[in-house]
């Protein structure tokens, strides 16, 4: 059985999910445990209000549900931080000051633009737009260490003009390899984010080929998350996950507790 260690609640600006409903859905999905990872995106320029997180209130409420379910269902408390190079001082301070189990570092913006919106693609080919996204990941990796895994590495293919129709690992293997090698050198992991199936891509983010390449290059830390923002998306398409990971060469997946990886056998 699996843990879903990437999910959101009403503490995220883009979710209204009730925490107890998320837990109920997780139990119904027969998960072994979960980790909430609500959004903190500082300086989220395209919106009038930032994707901010009231961290004291978040920790308070999550610790209360942890106690409530302590005998029946394991719940970890994580965070998904939006990385941008100019936040290199602010984000580590926030992470250091709070007792998170797990920190996902994600790219939601590219050079202060949001690839969710069509404006980002104006004046560039789709390949250039995707490459710029991957370059911005490298720029983040050059300055950040305060995370455990990099979130949904090829997330941008959810939103490009042709989505993932023309996207392959091979086309971007030079820069994807550089990202994966850098993560491995830093002792950081990646995730299999099954929201790609929800977006109709037919693949997780990143794709099977990228997961396999991470393992080939020596990477061992792989977490599993559906990135649910609603109860019905908890553990989305998780029945596919063990086979995908085993085919990619993994024997274990990872759950973080107090920022330490714990390895669970895939069976
Ligand atoms: Zn994200
Ligand atoms: Zn997320």
């Amino acid at each position: 059985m699996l843990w879903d260690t990437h999910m959101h609640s009403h503490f995220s600006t883009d979710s209204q999910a009730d925490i107890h409903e998320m837990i109920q859905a997780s139990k119904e999905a027969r998960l072994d445990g979960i980790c909430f990872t609500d959004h903190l995106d500082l300086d989220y320029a395209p919106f009038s209000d930032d994707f901010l997180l009231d961290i004291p209130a978040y920790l308070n409420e999550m610790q209360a549900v942890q106690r409530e379910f302590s005998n029946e269902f394991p719940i970890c408390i994580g965070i998904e931080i939006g990385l941008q190079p100019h936040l290199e001082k602010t984000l580590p301070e926030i992470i250091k000051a709070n007792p998170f189990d797990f920190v996902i570092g994600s790219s939601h913006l590219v050079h202060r633009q949001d690839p969710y919106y069509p404006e980002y693609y104006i004046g560039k080919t789709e390949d250039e737009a995707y490459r710029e996204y991957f370059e911005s990941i490298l720029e983040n990796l050059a300055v950040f260490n305060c995370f455990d895994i990099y979130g949904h590495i090829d997330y941008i293919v959810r939103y490009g003009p042709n989505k993932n129709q023309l996207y392959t690992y091979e086309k971007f293997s030079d820069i994807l390899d550089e990202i994966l090698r850098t993560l491995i050198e830093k002792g950081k992991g990646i995730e299999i984010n099954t929201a790609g199936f929800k977006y109709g891509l037919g693949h997780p983010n990143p794709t099977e080929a990228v997961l396999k390449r991470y393992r080939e290059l020596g990477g061992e830390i792989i977490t599993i998350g559906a990135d649910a923002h609603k109860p019905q998306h908890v553990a989305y398409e998780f029945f596919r996950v063990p086979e995908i990971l085993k085919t990619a060469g993994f024997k274990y997946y990872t759950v973080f507790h107090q920022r330490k990886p714990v390895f669970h056998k895939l069976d």
Side-chain angles (χ1 to χ4, degrees), residues 1 77 83 90 122 130 140 174 179 181 215-216 221:
M1 280 289 113
I77 308 172
L83 302 179
T90 319
I122 293 172
Y130 287 4
N140 285 326
D174 55 337
I179 291 169
R181 283 203 179 92
R215 182 74 272 274
E216 273 172 7
I221 299 170

Side-chain angles (χ1 to χ4, degrees), residues 113 118-126 128-129 132 161:
Q113 275 193 290
E119 289 74 29
Y120 169 71
Y121 302 89
I122 293 172
K124 35 190 128 154
T125 67
E126 187 177 77
E128 285 167 353
E132 188 180 341

Side-chain angles (χ1 to χ4, degrees), residues 6-8 12 14 37-39 80 104 106 108 151-152 155 158 191 193 195 226-229:
H6 187 159
M7 68 172 67
H8 298 269
S12 292
D14 60 355
T37 52
D38 275 301
H39 284 296
E80 181 180 11
I104 301 176
S106 293
H108 296 130
H152 45 59
Y155 159 93
R158 295 178 186 175
E191 68 169 348
N193 185 307
D227 209 349
H229 288 64

Side-chain angles (χ1 to χ4, degrees), residues 53-220:
L53 179 63
D54 182 348
I55 292 175
Y58 175 62
L59 289 175
N60 209 21
E61 191 156 340
M62 290 299 173
Q63 284 162 353
V65 291
Q66 244 178 357
R67 284 193 296 274
E68 185 186 338
F69 289 90
S70 60
N71 292 324
E72 45 173 321
F73 194 67
I75 298 167
C76 291
I77 308 172
I79 188 169
E80 181 180 11
I81 50 174
L83 302 179
Q84 298 189 68
H86 69 280
L87 301 172
E88 67 173 307
K89 292 225 157 45
T90 319
L91 287 173
E93 282 168 14
I94 293 171
I95 296 307
K96 201 169 160 221
N98 291 285
F100 296 114
D101 284 304
F102 179 43
V103 179
I104 301 176
S106 293
S107 286
H108 296 130
L109 295 179
V110 185
H111 302 138
R112 301 211 175 209
Q113 275 193 290
D114 188 343
Y116 174 83
Y117 293 104
E119 289 74 29
Y120 169 71
Y121 302 89
I122 293 172
K124 35 190 128 154
T125 67
E126 187 177 77
D127 284 1
E128 285 167 353
Y130 287 4
R131 190 163 283 273
E132 188 180 341
Y133 181 84
F134 295 133
E135 281 163 0
S136 79
I137 292 182
L138 284 174
E139 288 158 21
N140 285 326
L141 292 180
V143 296
F144 287 108
N145 278 307
C146 65
F147 64 94
D148 300 311
I149 65 120
Y150 215 96
H152 45 59
I153 281 176
D154 54 16
Y155 159 93
I156 191 166
V157 307
R158 295 178 186 175
Y159 305 117
N162 301 291
K163 293 198 165 189
N164 65 335
Q165 295 299 305
L166 309 172
Y167 163 71
T168 61
Y169 158 73
E170 286 74 19
K171 209 184 227 179
F172 299 96
S173 63
D174 55 337
I175 193 156
L176 283 167
D177 280 5
E178 198 177 340
I179 291 169
L180 297 174
R181 283 203 179 92
T182 309
L183 284 165
I184 292 163
E185 272 164 29
K186 285 170 158 287
K188 306 298 185 188
I190 61 171
E191 68 169 348
I192 174 170
N193 185 307
T194 61
F197 293 111
K198 192 173 74 193
Y199 281 85
L201 304 179
H203 298 277
N205 296 108
T207 56
E208 294 84 344
V210 178
L211 297 168
K212 179 166 175 270
R213 189 64 180 144
Y214 172 75
R215 182 74 272 274
E216 273 172 7
L217 292 170
E220 291 179 323

